[in-house]
Structure formats: structure tokens, C-alpha cells
Amino acid sequence: MCKPYNRKAAKNTLRKAWGLDKELQISEVDSNLFQFKFQSDYELERILKGGLWTFDNQLLMLTRWRIGISANNVVLEHASLWVQIWGVLFDMMSPTVTMKIGKKMGVVEDVERRRRTDDQNLFLWVRVALLISKPLRRGGFLLGLDGRRHWVDYKYERLPLFCHYCGILGHDIRHCPPHFDASK
């Protein structure tokens, strides 16, 4: 986080948002690094798959505990974001096409599938894991399938704090190292 925050409020807000008032242990193991202990694998999976989680518009990055992990070696390098893809031709709207588009952006984690076939979707919906060290893609791109090329736009859902100067998640323009270097 690039600004101070109330740790107690953050913990209480997350417990309430996750519906785990008493069942969740939260320990601060380093500066801005917390360990969450869930009572069941079901709750852990529900929270991991239910993100993007934020507090005060700051991204909360989660990773599953693995043998050998500690506060000194934990690696948090991907953020999972839902992305809407607009402008896809109606005859190209399918989970397969959504997967191909998502792979251009990052690692595809999930593809929204329509529950009702009588309603036409206006956009495709994909969840992708994006490297937080790289700028977010902006705007759109040319989609080429079956020998046809067509421009599509995309929109990130529930986008947390990110820098409009460098495009990287986790800070704003006031805290952007490249912005300060360029202004000298």
C-alpha cells in the first residue's frame, strides 16, 4: 500500500466481507503481509476463487500456503481480474474465443459461461491472472479468427488502485517512481 491504513478496520472489513467473523484468524507477519488461517478448505477455495479482493481500493493479493513458505520468501506476482471483452462479433461469442482472447492478456483462470441460451451476451467475460510488474493493457486489439480481423475493446472490472502514468497496479501517479524520474 502506498498510503497508511487502519489495520484493525482492514481485518474487520475482510472478515465481514468474507462472512467469517469468528472462523478466520488473521496475523500480520511482516509489513503489509498477513497470514489468513481458514477453518476449512471449502472457505479457503471460496475466497481464493471469489476475488478480486480490495481494501480501501488497494489490491489484496492472496496465495495458497506451501511447504517452505515464510514472510521472507513469499512471492506475490499475479493479480486475478475479471475482464469484459466488447465488440466481438455475435457469431464469434463462445467460451473457446473467450479463452483465446484471455490468453493474449495473461493466464486464463476462468471463462464465464452463459446460463441461458436465449439471451445474447453483449460482451465476453474472462478472469485472467496478470503480472503486477507489467503495465495493464489498455484500449483493445485486433481479433483475428477464421481469416477475419475485427477490433475489440476490453474493460477491467473492479480495478483497484493503479497508476495512469505507468499502468502498474498498486500505486498512483503521486507514488510512481518512473513519473518522478521523468520529471527531473
Side-chain angles (χ1 to χ4, degrees):
M1 296 189 89
C2 59
K3 61 182 181 177
Y5 66 100
N6 182 324
R7 284 164 172 68
K8 186 174 182 177
K11 290 178 182 181
N12 289 336
T13 300
L14 288 172
R15 280 190 177 100
K16 285 184 177 140
W18 293 346
L20 299 170
D21 283 337
K22 304 286 185 236
E23 303 87 22
L24 179 65
Q25 284 184 286
I26 305 174
S27 305
E28 188 167 9
V29 295
D30 204 353
S31 177
N32 290 331
L33 184 63
F34 296 88
Q35 181 182 54
F36 299 95
K37 293 182 182 176
F38 296 89
Q39 295 298 313
S40 70
D41 285 337
Y42 170 79
E43 293 296 342
L44 169 64
E45 288 300 321
R46 181 178 66 84
I47 300 309
L48 286 174
K49 291 183 185 209
L52 175 83
W53 299 106
T54 61
F55 175 76
D56 197 19
N57 204 30
Q58 298 284 328
L59 179 63
L60 176 65
M61 297 180 63
L62 300 172
T63 190
R64 180 184 283 281
W65 179 84
R66 294 175 311 280
I67 293 176
I69 201 168
S70 73
N72 297 326
N73 67 8
V74 67
V75 177
L76 300 167
E77 54 190 17
H78 288 87
S80 298
L81 298 171
W82 280 101
V83 182
Q84 298 175 4
I85 300 140
W86 289 82
V88 177
L89 300 173
F90 290 142
D91 60 323
M92 294 176 135
M93 288 196 163
S94 71
T96 304
V97 172
T98 307
M99 183 77 72
K100 286 181 182 180
I101 294 171
K103 285 180 180 178
K104 291 181 177 237
M105 303 179 90
V107 177
V108 175
E109 294 181 332
D110 199 3
V111 170
E112 191 261 347
R113 288 168 172 65
R114 284 188 290 158
R115 287 156 189 79
R116 295 178 52 188
T117 57
D118 57 335
D119 289 337
Q120 179 63 49
N121 284 357
L122 298 176
F123 59 88
L124 301 175
W125 209 29
V126 62
R127 181 178 165 143
V128 290
L130 304 171
L131 277 172
I132 60 165
S133 60
K134 303 233 181 221
L136 292 174
R137 287 183 71 148
R138 299 180 200 188
F141 52 86
L142 278 175
L143 174 63
L145 291 169
D146 300 329
R148 298 181 285 173
R149 295 175 62 80
H150 184 73
W151 184 261
V152 295
D153 295 302
Y154 50 88
K155 299 175 185 174
Y156 299 100
E157 288 193 355
R158 297 175 42 206
L159 190 61
L161 181 71
F162 89 103
C163 180
H164 290 277
Y165 182 77
C166 71
I168 301 220
L169 290 167
H171 67 268
D172 56 19
I173 196 165
R174 293 183 311 248
H175 300 92
C176 180
H179 178 68
F180 290 122
D181 292 343
S183 62
K184 289 183 182 178

